Amino acid sequence: MQGKRGRPRNVETQQSILSASYELLLETGFESVTVEKIADRAKVSKATIYKWWPNKATVVVDGFLSAAAARLPVPDTGSAMKDILIHATNLARFLASREGTIITELLGEGQFDSGLAEAYRTRYFRPRRLEAKSLLEKGVQRGELKKISISN
């Protein structure tokens, strides 16, 4: 989330904050993460974090999304079947890992924090669905898969 005022973010500082929030999330779980702990680990002030993120939930979600994007790249081997298999295998491994259990925690916290729930839906769930859809569409375009219409 880009801040609305002030100087642009320092990329190294931003990455340090995102990494710190993600590491703490993995180590202690969402509930135990605090902006103070993130600031301490990233070696920045709490003011720096609050300048760029309005609260703990947004910085933690950004840290999670940054890590998830790096760990779940969309394959493009030239074969729809290979891409779908690789993508599904990577996603299954991710969801079964400690990192994947974070999703459960975020969903749970999202029941009490509508902003967190919306961030998860719009910035993680929907983009992942679009990535999977794009794999199928590439397969149709390449003639490897048939396009079917489902009507209710």
Side-chain angles (χ1 to χ4, degrees):
M1 296 183 78
Q2 186 66 25
K4 293 181 181 174
R5 59 187 190 265
R7 295 185 289 181
R9 293 182 184 182
N10 175 302
V11 175
E12 290 175 11
T13 301
Q14 180 181 359
Q15 191 53 50
S16 177
I17 293 166
L18 293 174
S19 294
S21 71
Y22 185 67
E23 290 165 6
L24 288 164
L25 183 63
L26 285 177
E27 291 168 16
T28 65
F30 182 83
E31 201 170 301
S32 297
V33 176
T34 64
V35 171
E36 186 172 341
K37 289 178 184 177
I38 295 168
D40 186 53
R41 176 142 329 170
K43 296 180 178 32
V44 299
S45 70
K46 290 191 317 184
T48 298
I49 294 172
Y50 283 121
K51 179 171 57 174
W52 295 333
W53 291 277
N55 55 42
K56 170 185 104 166
T58 56
V59 68
V60 170
V61 167
D62 278 1
F64 174 78
L65 294 175
S66 175
R71 286 163 178 73
L72 293 169
V74 179
D76 190 4
T77 65
S79 164
M81 295 307 287
K82 281 184 184 177
D83 291 347
I84 292 166
L85 181 61
I86 290 167
H87 189 64
T89 300
N90 289 344
L91 183 59
R93 285 185 183 138
F94 180 80
L95 292 173
S97 72
R98 169 64 183 128
E99 294 170 306
T101 63
I102 296 299
I103 293 171
T104 307
E105 289 183 44
L106 294 176
L107 289 172
E109 291 293 326
Q111 293 179 36
F112 308 104
D113 182 336
S114 61
L116 178 60
E118 182 61 19
Y120 170 80
R121 279 192 302 275
T122 60
R123 298 180 49 226
Y124 178 77
F125 184 73
R126 286 183 192 141
R128 299 307 301 176
R129 279 183 72 182
L130 290 174
E131 289 170 354
K133 181 181 177 186
S134 76
L135 291 176
L136 298 173
E137 288 172 345
K138 281 182 188 176
V140 170
Q141 290 170 357
R142 293 177 182 148
E144 297 175 64
L145 302 172
K146 288 184 180 181
K147 184 173 183 170
I148 60 169
S149 296
I150 300 174
S151 59
N152 294 348

